[in-house]
Structures are given as C-alpha cells and as structure tokens.
Amino acid sequence: MSDINPNPSTLNRTQATSRELFTVIFRRKWLILGLFLVVTATVVGLAFTTPVSYSSSGRVLVMRGERLSALSPGRQLYNDWEEDLGSEVEVARSYPVIQRARELLAEDVKKTGKQAKLDARTIDIEVMGKSNVLGIGYSDLDADKAQMVCNALITAYVEYRAGQAHLGKPEAFFETELQQIKSDIELKSNERKLTAQ
C-alpha cells in the first residue's frame, strides 16, 4: 500500500488563503468591532425601550351547523369548515360583540373598581388548527387589564351566539313562545268579548 501525499501546490494555496484571510481580518479589526458594537448597542437599546406587552387568551368551541330540532343535540352541517369558521372569526370581531364586551367591562368597574379599556386593534382571533375551536386573545401593557378584556370578549361572544341561535337554552326559546301564545289568546278572547257585546 502506498501513502497518498497531498499535492504541495494545493497545500500552499490553502495556507496562503488562510493567511490572507487572517491578514484582512486583522487589518479591518476596528471596522468589524465597530459594526459588532453598533449592532449590539442597537439591539440592547431596543430591548430596554420597548414596553412589555402582556397577552391573555382563551378558547371557545364553536358548534357548527343547524340543529335538527330544539330537543335533540344533533346538527346538520351545510357549509365547508373554512367558510363557517371564517364567518365565526368575523362575528367575534363584530361591533355587537365588542359593544357587549365594553358593557361587561363597565359592569366590572362597578364590582371590582378596576377599569380596563378595550382597543379593537389589539384583539387577536384565530382558528386553532383545523378544528372547531376559536382562540380569542387580547394584548395590553397591564396583565390584569389584558385578562379582564379577554374574559369580557369571550363572554360577549358566547352570549351573542347563544342569544342568536338559542344554543343550549331550549327552555328560553319555549318560554318566549309560550308568552307569545298567551298574549295571542288574550287578544283573541278580548276581541271575541267585544264582538259578543
């Protein structure tokens, strides 16, 4: 077996290249150090001057589709997943939900004495993966305020959806229907009494 000797011209070229690199680095050391220090000072300055923002979030399971009846929990799905949940994201950002959240925050001021202001620009709503779960979040410079506003947003969204479709409250639906029927019966009986006289 014979030893393989490296080509001396290749070895000299590699050494010359390394030597030249270190020479250039040594010659330009103040430029390199200056750039490093400027970048480091900029990053440290931004880190210390940027205010800390706290984020609070919660998740809501969205019951998609239309109920088959008020007495059964089954649902019939008509639309695609993306369309349904894209609509739900917009419902959660809608004016009625935000207004109800502001009303809930005003009620919290009376109870707890803490005041939190809702800024619609810092609301974050997204679909959690390919699921029926909405993530609702809120960011603020104060951790307690972020949590209060996030709680109000989730409560307002759930109230809006429950009030719109009577989700999970068939007794409320039947109660309103019974009141309507009773008022109709009273109206008809009064009309009958008047025509009989």
Side-chain angles (χ1 to χ4, degrees):
M1 245 176 115
S2 64
D3 291 337
I4 300 175
N5 291 329
N7 189 353
S9 63
T10 307
L11 186 62
N12 288 339
R13 196 178 313 125
T14 305
Q15 288 176 348
T17 306
S18 302
R19 207 175 293 135
E20 289 170 3
L21 177 68
F22 284 117
T23 304
V24 169
I25 289 175
F26 187 74
R27 235 186 286 153
R28 305 284 184 196
K29 65 183 174 193
W30 295 115
L31 177 65
I32 295 169
L33 282 173
L35 286 173
F36 175 76
L37 290 174
V38 166
V39 170
T40 304
T42 304
V43 170
V44 169
L46 286 174
F48 281 113
T49 57
T50 304
V52 177
S53 179
Y54 296 94
S55 182
S56 179
S57 64
R59 296 178 181 182
V60 179
L61 177 63
V62 178
M63 300 298 289
R64 298 189 302 128
E66 294 183 10
R67 291 181 74 162
L68 298 174
S69 79
L71 300 175
S72 68
R75 291 179 170 275
Q76 178 71 37
L77 297 179
Y78 294 110
N79 295 333
D80 291 334
W81 171 84
E82 292 173 347
E83 292 174 6
D84 277 351
L85 289 177
S87 299
E88 290 303 317
V89 167
E90 294 308 315
V91 166
R93 289 182 198 265
S94 67
Y95 180 76
V97 172
I98 291 175
Q99 279 304 107
R100 178 62 183 143
R102 287 185 173 136
E103 291 171 7
L104 290 170
L105 288 171
E107 292 172 11
D108 283 347
V109 170
K110 295 173 187 172
K111 293 177 188 174
T112 61
K114 293 183 180 178
Q115 185 174 7
K117 193 173 183 182
L118 191 155
D119 183 7
R121 293 172 296 180
T122 57
I123 298 172
D124 182 31
I125 301 169
E126 64 179 6
V127 179
M128 308 301 290
K130 195 165 175 81
S131 68
N132 291 339
V133 178
L134 279 184
I136 300 176
Y138 188 79
S139 299
D140 197 276
L141 299 177
D142 185 357
D144 292 335
K145 289 181 181 178
Q147 190 173 9
M148 286 171 62
V149 174
C150 183
N151 184 34
L153 281 169
I154 292 172
T155 305
Y157 171 71
V158 171
E159 282 181 6
Y160 179 81
R161 293 296 291 144
Q164 191 179 46
H166 300 292
L167 298 178
K169 295 184 180 179
E171 57 277 348
F173 170 75
F174 288 121
E175 186 66 33
T176 56
E177 289 296 314
L178 283 172
Q179 292 295 332
Q180 182 65 38
I181 290 169
K182 284 180 184 177
S183 64
D184 287 346
I185 289 172
E186 285 180 21
L187 182 68
K188 294 293 182 186
S189 63
N190 289 338
E191 286 178 2
R192 187 173 181 191
K193 286 178 186 176
L194 288 175
T195 55
Q197 293 174 355

